[in-house]
Amino acid sequence: MLTVFLQFLFSGLTVGAVYALVGIGFNITYNATSIINLAQGEFVVIGGLMMWFFAESLKLPFLVSVAFTILSAGIVGLLMERLTIKPLKNPDLLLMIMITVAVSIVLRGVLMFSFGKDPYVYPSFTEGEPLSIYGAIIQQQTLWVIGITGFCIILLFFFFKKTMIGKAMLACAVNPTAAKLVGINVSRMVMLSFVLSAVVGAIGGMAITPISLMEYDKGPMLAVKGFCAAIMGGLGTNRGAVLGGFIIGILESMTAGYIHSGLKDAVALIILLLILFFKPAGIFVSKAMHQLRKF
Amino acid sequence: MKKAPKRFLVVLIAALSVFLLFVNAYAKEPYKIGALLAVTGPASFLGEPEKNTVLMLKDQINKAGGINGHPLEIIIEDTKSDETQAVLSAKKLLENDKVLAIIGPSTTGESMALVPILNTAATPLLSCAAGAPITQPVKDRTWIFKTPQYDISAVEAIYGYMKKHGISKVGIITISTGFGDAGKKALLEIAPKYGMTIVAEEKYGPKDSDMTTQLTKIKAAGAQAVINWSVGPGQVVVTKNWHALKMGIPLYQSHGWGSKKNIELAGKAAEGVIAPLGRLVIWDKLPDKHRQKALLKKYTQDYEALYKSDPGTFGGHAYDSIMMIVEALKKVGPDKKKIRDYVETKIKKWPGTGGIFNISPDDHCGLDKSAFEMVVVKNGDWEILK
Amino acid sequence: MKKEDLLSFLIFIFLIILLPVISGSTYTLTVGIFSGINALVAIGLCILMGYAGQVSLGQAGFYGIGAYISSILSVHAGLPIVISAICAMIVAAIAAMILAVPALRLKGHYLAVATLGFGEIIYVILNEWGPGGPSGFGDIPHFGLLGYTIDSTTGYFYLIWGLVALVMLFSINLINSGTGRALRAIHDSDLACNAMGLNVTALKIKVFILSAVYASLAGSLYAHYVTFISPSSFSLFYSILVLMMVIVGGVTNLWGAVIGAVVITVLPELLRRFEELDVLVYGLILTLSLMFFRKGLVPILIEKIKKLREFAVAKH
């Protein structure tokens, strides 16, 4: 009994971690720009595929590949922002969101063209037997995924709360005009937010690929689930996105395990609707703060 | 000095024109066939090798002089794995390109959407999709044929083998797409016939990352074997999960497993996985006398030389469809009805990549479970089980 | 009706009648049929977005309800197609109401997120419990009325675009009526409207239901045309596609929805020549047009025409 429950839990944690990272990616962009970047899922795919490219195709050493992958993702985020977001003056938020959708189509097209439609995989970061806890197994790579996610969360926490740049980015979302008045280069913050969210997404992709493989079109599904995670926790709060991601992952697993695996995909959505109808601010955001936000 | 080259040029052009006119008068009308393939979209695993096969065969046939001297023209349209697109593309091929026959589409859903259209247009359709409803009921499928094996045949192969090895309780896990759904229906339908009890039925989505939950449930329900029915990365993830969980019971896959890529991606987790495969994938393990071996060998080697990867099971369906139409064209010429009649009545004991075809007015597919061999993965390679 | 609207409408009718006459090709007409079906959904969404100021990312859900309910009733319950389609519209309306009542209490774009959730849930339901599951089902009868079945492409073309014309007529009148003016007022400021005693929420719900009904009608027409449906045609992808149609055409103008639908439906056909690259080109065209033709094709066209007129007048 316990074994089975733990197994479901571990499965949920594995996918939940990726949803959490995608959710965080959404938050970073949203916090700096109030835009929901629906191309966020594509960054995850880029992370997985580029890692394969550097590690398996070019056979570069592990850490070098990681560095290059992060660099590639950052560049894509930068290009996206400079080419499609920056040129627009005073855009309507809805239009921006639609543009991110269009960009995600372009990115998918490029990925399909470069990598084809096959799935790709590379070895887990550490080889070895899975761990067994009360009979339930947890693969080493899963521990990596959860660990890396945790590490990112801590890093981002320090970044946003303790560093000047981080705080500046938060200031931009609340009131860009005021931010400009105090000397913050809003345009640069926007750019940075895209780069950062791309990197975070890519890290998720890098970590999950050894477990679940990566193909060019995994983006949209991850984007939807990650978005649900962000909304659930409260759009803009990373703590929320993390909790949201793990909750969705675990609930999906439990639903598949104890009820019916066909219902799994509905779980994230039903939770989303319930949250929206009963606590739209999300778990972690107070109603007052929620009213302040533009979105 | 200027006049001479100019006059020479005029004569040259005149001569060339006469020559071309001469040649053109003798050039034969191309035979046009349409190919509707899911080159992009979720079913591109099917469409891509099918498209490569079509292009390769077209070049080979034309280099060898065409069909009775007529060049073969194959117009490929990408359906993007979408039924609406399949309908639009079919209409374009029938209307604008006026094709003699259409091969494809790649998926059952798209094929079903085309049944009324091709029947109305009185044009033969040789689908590369597997669903039984494509060719049944035969009386409503006058112009419709298919070259992949029936899902039921693959299931029969699996169950037959299991029965021989004393397995009677199975857990099934299928992908929630048309392919998986068709497999699930077949698995449930024939279980009683082979004395199989399905103790667990689980599902997963095409982009899911982890199936340990479903597999754990199957084990807990007391299954003696697991059957996974999917194509795409799902097969590999299930295999890796099965291996990591150390389930202790054998894993069987569908015929979609038949690609070396899957073994490569799953790594050592693939050892011991059993599946019913069309002989295309294991041609090199067949005895030389086998009727399919020669054509399988040529097709695979030509494909690998050209595309640097193996065609997998699915490319072969396009091969069979094209070759049937080409043979019909050779024998009866560019007449839609005659082509249809030829395919329906003259494709008997016909060796193709999918198996040995016996098409008849009652069976517009012509394959049964003898089209499959039970194969196990051993040391990173296929091995035919006796 | 205003003068410009009447003129546009007459030109529209003229074009509809003309097309099958100039082009006998069933391929072109089929593209036209799908454009028309998409136009119906787009018009509903346009009213919701342009006039009531709400976004929906779940139109595919209502489209799917229309397709499935109408097909199930006509195939399994043997009901006449028109009745089945009407029942589907009623179901869609009820679903819209159930969704809208709690959702419209949400601030701004949270309705969009709720609709996204709704659309996806419908997809999961259809995939899991719809007849045939992911494989879909077929043998759906062609659209027919009183024993007379329409199964020629031309006939279907006229049916669809005839309905589009009726819907446009109804919608244009709605926009120009008191209700329409109220809607436009809401778009500008909820607060002001509430202050003036307008029941903002009730009006928004009505518009939401209207957009759902249009989408459901389109879905039924789709099902009875293709005679085979499967859940994959009713996914989030379609919802986003419809949104694109409205935005590309111009959110503030109903004709924009129609033109946007035609453009987005025709575009992939024109891009066939690019083969593998067509997705990329499609994405690039969308991105560029969103960036540079922000207001939408129709409003920009109207602006250009106005400028030309001014120029012509100024010259004298």
Side-chain angles (χ1 to χ4, degrees):
Chain A
M1 265 324 303
L2 182 62
T3 310
V4 163
F5 173 77
L6 281 175
Q7 197 63 69
F8 295 167
L9 185 69
F10 294 156
S11 169
L13 287 176
T14 315
V15 299
V18 184
Y19 298 160
L21 282 174
V22 178
I24 292 177
F26 276 117
N27 280 340
I28 296 176
T29 334
Y30 174 72
N31 274 335
T33 67
S34 292
I35 298 174
I36 309 283
N37 178 8
L38 287 172
Q40 189 62 38
E42 265 57 51
F43 294 135
V44 178
V45 178
I46 289 175
L49 292 179
M50 291 311 284
M51 184 67 186
W52 173 86
F53 177 66
F54 292 123
E56 294 296 306
S57 182
L58 295 184
K59 297 245 187 287
L60 297 174
F62 179 75
L63 285 174
V64 176
S65 303
V66 171
F68 277 174
T69 305
I70 291 182
L71 195 64
S72 317
I75 293 177
V76 175
L78 178 73
L79 284 173
M80 179 178 172
E81 194 272 332
R82 290 283 103 165
L83 292 174
T84 63
I85 310 288
K86 184 167 193 301
L88 296 169
K89 310 262 175 276
N90 281 332
D92 177 25
L93 267 179
L94 177 64
L95 187 72
M96 295 313 300
I97 297 176
M98 292 314 292
I99 290 182
T100 64
V101 173
V103 171
S104 77
I105 296 177
V106 174
L107 284 175
R108 252 199 314 284
V110 172
L111 286 170
M112 180 179 88
F113 206 63
S114 325
F115 290 93
K117 298 140 198 160
D118 289 328
Y120 288 89
V121 80
Y122 44 83
S124 306
F125 296 168
T126 51
E127 290 297 326
E129 284 303 298
L131 285 129
S132 179
I133 304 181
Y134 283 115
I137 66 109
I138 185 163
Q139 296 178 64
Q140 293 202 7
Q141 190 63 24
T142 307
L143 293 171
W144 276 109
V145 174
I146 298 175
I148 291 174
T149 307
F151 185 62
C152 282
I153 295 163
I154 298 175
L155 271 183
L156 286 170
F157 176 75
F158 275 112
F159 177 73
F160 281 115
K161 286 279 190 290
K162 307 287 182 193
T163 67
M164 213 49 197
I165 303 182
K167 286 194 251 193
M169 268 173 70
L170 286 179
C172 292
V174 178
N175 193 331
T177 318
K180 260 191 226 152
L181 286 173
V182 295
I184 297 176
N185 188 338
V186 174
S187 152
R188 199 176 294 165
M189 290 300 121
V190 170
M191 177 185 86
L192 197 57
S193 73
F194 270 85
V195 171
L196 198 54
S197 64
V199 168
V200 169
I203 291 178
M206 274 197 283
I208 196 79
T209 303
I211 302 179
S212 67
L213 282 64
M214 188 57 73
E215 322 78 71
Y216 79 105
D217 63 348
K218 249 201 160 96
M221 178 276 244
L222 288 169
V224 172
K225 299 252 171 94
F227 185 56
C228 289
I231 294 269
M232 201 169 107
L235 198 57
T237 48
N238 284 337
R239 258 180 308 164
V242 172
L243 209 72
F246 281 116
I247 291 178
I248 291 181
I250 294 174
L251 276 175
E252 277 186 353
S253 191
M254 294 300 161
T255 306
Y258 290 118
I259 310 176
H260 183 41
S261 46
L263 289 174
K264 194 161 60 77
D265 285 328
V267 169
L269 304 162
I270 294 179
I271 296 178
L272 179 70
L273 286 179
L274 288 172
I275 294 270
L276 284 175
F277 294 159
F278 295 113
K279 200 171 194 299
I283 301 179
F284 275 107
V285 178
S286 70
K287 213 158 188 191
M289 226 179 100
H290 178 67
Q291 308 283 33
L292 280 176
R293 287 308 186 83
K294 233 201 290 189
F295 185 81
Chain B
M1 204 50 210
K2 280 194 189 153
K3 271 210 168 157
K6 199 172 177 193
R7 225 180 278 166
F8 176 67
L9 207 59
V10 171
V11 171
L12 187 62
I13 293 175
L16 216 62
S17 319
V18 173
F19 174 67
L20 282 171
L21 265 160
F22 199 64
V23 164
N24 236 354
Y26 278 78
K28 291 203 174 175
E29 283 253 314
Y31 285 161
K32 289 203 229 181
I33 305 182
L36 289 174
L37 304 170
V39 185
T40 57
S44 55
F45 299 96
L46 306 168
E48 178 113 351
E50 286 163 0
K51 178 180 129 180
N52 290 343
T53 302
V54 166
L55 290 171
M56 181 179 87
L57 288 176
K58 183 185 80 163
D59 284 337
Q60 285 180 348
I61 292 173
N62 283 332
K63 280 211 181 78
I67 304 175
N68 297 334
H70 294 261
L72 176 64
E73 195 181 317
I74 307 187
I75 302 162
I76 303 179
E77 291 293 341
D78 178 11
T79 63
K80 305 189 176 67
S81 315
D82 178 59
E83 281 128 39
T84 311
Q85 279 302 312
V87 169
L88 281 169
S89 308
K91 296 245 171 164
K92 174 187 171 288
L93 288 173
L94 291 166
E95 294 283 311
N96 297 9
D97 303 303
K98 303 211 184 352
V99 295
L100 291 164
I102 298 184
I103 71 145
S106 313
T107 67
T108 303
E110 295 169 62
S111 307
M112 292 308 293
L114 295 186
V115 165
I117 297 178
L118 275 276
N119 271 336
T120 311
T123 306
L125 180 75
L126 271 73
S127 169
C128 296
I134 296 175
T135 50
Q136 292 166 355
V138 162
K139 63 172 170 56
D140 296 328
R141 304 286 187 265
T142 321
W143 295 86
I144 320 291
F145 300 84
K146 74 175 181 74
T147 48
Q149 311 89 337
Y150 288 107
D151 293 315
I152 291 208
S153 307
V155 172
E156 286 192 309
I158 294 180
Y159 280 163
Y161 182 84
M162 280 184 170
K163 190 158 182 204
K164 264 196 285 175
H165 289 80
I167 298 176
S168 59
K169 292 201 238 160
V170 229
I172 64 177
I173 175 171
T174 62
I175 194 174
S176 63
T177 63
F179 184 87
D181 192 55
K184 186 174 100 150
K185 289 193 172 107
L187 285 164
L188 291 171
E189 191 182 316
I190 323 195
K193 185 167 152 198
Y194 285 82
M196 296 288 163
T197 316
I198 311 247
V199 297
E201 272 173 56
E202 298 297 323
K203 286 192 184 187
Y204 57 92
K207 298 289 154 204
D208 283 0
S209 327
D210 182 88
M211 279 61 111
T212 52
T213 301
Q214 291 93 326
L215 290 171
T216 306
K217 276 176 83 178
I218 289 178
K219 183 79 204 280
Q224 294 167 307
V226 186
I227 306 180
N228 172 55
W229 207 273
S230 67
V231 279
Q235 299 170 95
V236 179
V237 179
V238 168
T239 306
K240 287 169 76 119
N241 288 161
W242 165 78
H243 177 78
L245 285 172
K246 291 202 188 13
M247 285 184 76
I249 54 178
L251 172 65
Y252 288 73
Q253 296 271 13
S254 71
H255 49 296
W257 177 244
S259 163
K260 275 270 170 70
K261 197 100 221 279
N262 287 327
I263 303 183
E264 195 190 303
L265 290 168
K268 58 177 168 33
E271 285 295 304
V273 174
I274 305 176
L277 300 185
R279 297 195 182 84
L280 175 55
V281 192
I282 34 145
W283 66 267
D284 49 343
K285 310 281 188 297
L286 295 170
D288 286 336
K289 300 194 274 101
H290 197 282
R291 291 195 62 204
Q292 284 174 274
K293 185 162 183 179
L295 72 89
L296 292 176
K297 177 174 177 179
K298 179 169 198 307
Y299 170 52
T300 309
Q301 288 180 333
D302 290 346
Y303 190 101
E304 275 169 6
L306 195 52
Y307 298 109
K308 312 281 180 286
S309 68
D310 66 284
T313 298
F314 305 112
H317 301 323
Y319 179 98
D320 295 334
S321 297
I322 295 262
M323 295 314 270
M324 280 185 199
I325 296 183
V326 164
E327 187 176 305
L329 277 169
K330 266 204 191 103
K331 295 276 163 58
V332 301
D335 177 312
K336 290 182 184 179
K337 177 130 207 329
K338 290 198 186 143
I339 295 175
R340 185 218 85 93
D341 291 340
Y342 184 90
V343 173
E344 192 183 59
T345 54
K346 299 282 189 270
I347 303 286
K348 302 257 187 263
K349 297 210 174 77
W350 193 91
T353 66
I356 313 240
F357 287 82
N358 284 302
I359 298 186
S360 72
D362 291 321
D363 183 2
H364 276 195
C365 169
L367 293 173
D368 62 17
K369 68 178 191 292
S370 65
F372 293 111
E373 296 279 1
M374 290 307 286
V375 175
V376 70
V377 176
K378 202 149 191 195
N379 297 326
D381 197 4
W382 309 113
E383 187 181 283
I384 302 183
L385 291 166
K386 300 297 167 219
Chain C
M1 235 207 292
K2 286 199 254 173
K3 209 178 62 176
E4 305 100 59
D5 288 330
L6 189 59
L7 187 62
S8 317
F9 193 72
L10 287 172
I11 297 178
F12 175 60
I13 299 280
F14 181 66
L15 285 172
I16 298 177
I17 299 180
L18 200 59
L19 189 65
V21 173
I22 349 171
S23 164
S25 154
T26 61
Y27 169 63
T28 316
L29 290 179
T30 308
V31 178
I33 290 174
F34 285 123
S35 306
I37 292 176
N38 290 335
L40 282 172
V41 188
I43 294 172
L45 185 60
C46 184
I47 300 178
L48 187 65
M49 285 174 65
Y51 297 92
Q54 306 295 315
V55 179
S56 169
L57 281 170
Q59 293 308 91
F62 300 117
Y63 185 58
I65 288 177
Y68 267 81
I69 304 264
S70 184
S71 306
I72 294 173
L73 288 177
S74 52
V75 172
H76 294 291
L79 288 177
I81 295 174
V82 179
I83 307 282
S84 310
I86 294 179
C87 289
M89 288 197 267
I90 296 176
V91 173
I94 297 176
M97 192 152 53
I98 297 178
L99 178 63
V101 170
L104 282 168
R105 274 190 271 130
L106 297 173
K107 202 176 75 131
H109 302 291
Y110 276 97
L111 172 64
V113 180
T115 57
L116 177 112
F118 167 76
E120 286 288 274
I121 288 180
I122 296 286
Y123 174 77
V124 172
I125 292 177
L126 291 177
N127 209 36
E128 184 66 26
W129 290 294
S135 314
F137 72 109
D139 286 327
I140 303 170
H142 274 299
F143 217 89
L145 186 59
L146 304 164
Y148 182 75
T149 312
I150 303 174
D151 55 6
S152 73
T153 313
T154 318
Y156 227 86
F157 180 85
Y158 281 130
L159 172 70
I160 304 264
W161 283 98
L163 284 168
V164 174
L166 280 171
V167 165
M168 277 306 283
L169 207 59
F170 178 76
S171 307
I172 294 176
N173 278 325
L174 182 70
I175 299 295
N176 290 330
S177 72
T179 319
R181 286 196 291 274
L183 282 171
R184 268 174 288 173
I186 295 175
H187 189 200
D188 290 332
S189 172
D190 270 25
L191 201 56
C193 290
N194 266 321
M196 293 209 291
L198 214 54
N199 190 343
V200 171
T201 313
L203 208 49
K204 282 186 184 173
I205 293 178
K206 285 193 190 135
V207 176
F208 195 70
I209 295 178
L210 188 69
S211 74
V213 167
Y214 284 3
S216 170
L217 175 63
S220 307
L221 289 167
Y222 174 85
H224 293 287
Y225 175 64
V226 184
T227 73
F228 175 84
I229 52 174
S230 78
S232 59
S233 310
F234 309 109
S235 66
L236 179 62
F237 179 71
Y238 185 75
S239 295
I240 293 184
L241 205 65
V242 178
L243 200 56
M244 284 284 180
M245 293 176 199
V246 174
I247 294 190
V248 164
V251 176
T252 52
N253 190 305
L254 281 181
W255 292 113
V258 176
I259 302 224
V262 173
V263 168
I264 298 277
T265 311
V266 170
L267 194 58
E269 298 301 308
L270 296 174
L271 294 178
R272 270 182 204 278
R273 67 195 58 212
F274 288 106
E275 293 189 357
E276 297 264 308
L277 283 174
D278 69 347
V279 175
L280 198 53
V281 178
Y282 182 76
L284 281 170
I285 293 181
L286 275 179
T287 313
L288 292 171
S289 55
L290 285 172
M291 284 175 66
F292 297 115
F293 296 118
R294 278 199 262 168
K295 297 215 192 83
L297 291 173
V298 173
I300 288 184
L301 233 106
I302 294 181
E303 265 179 39
K304 291 249 164 8
I305 295 179
K306 278 202 185 124
K307 283 216 179 94
L308 269 161
R309 266 203 234 149
E310 280 167 20
F311 186 66
V313 169
K315 269 207 136 176
H316 295 106

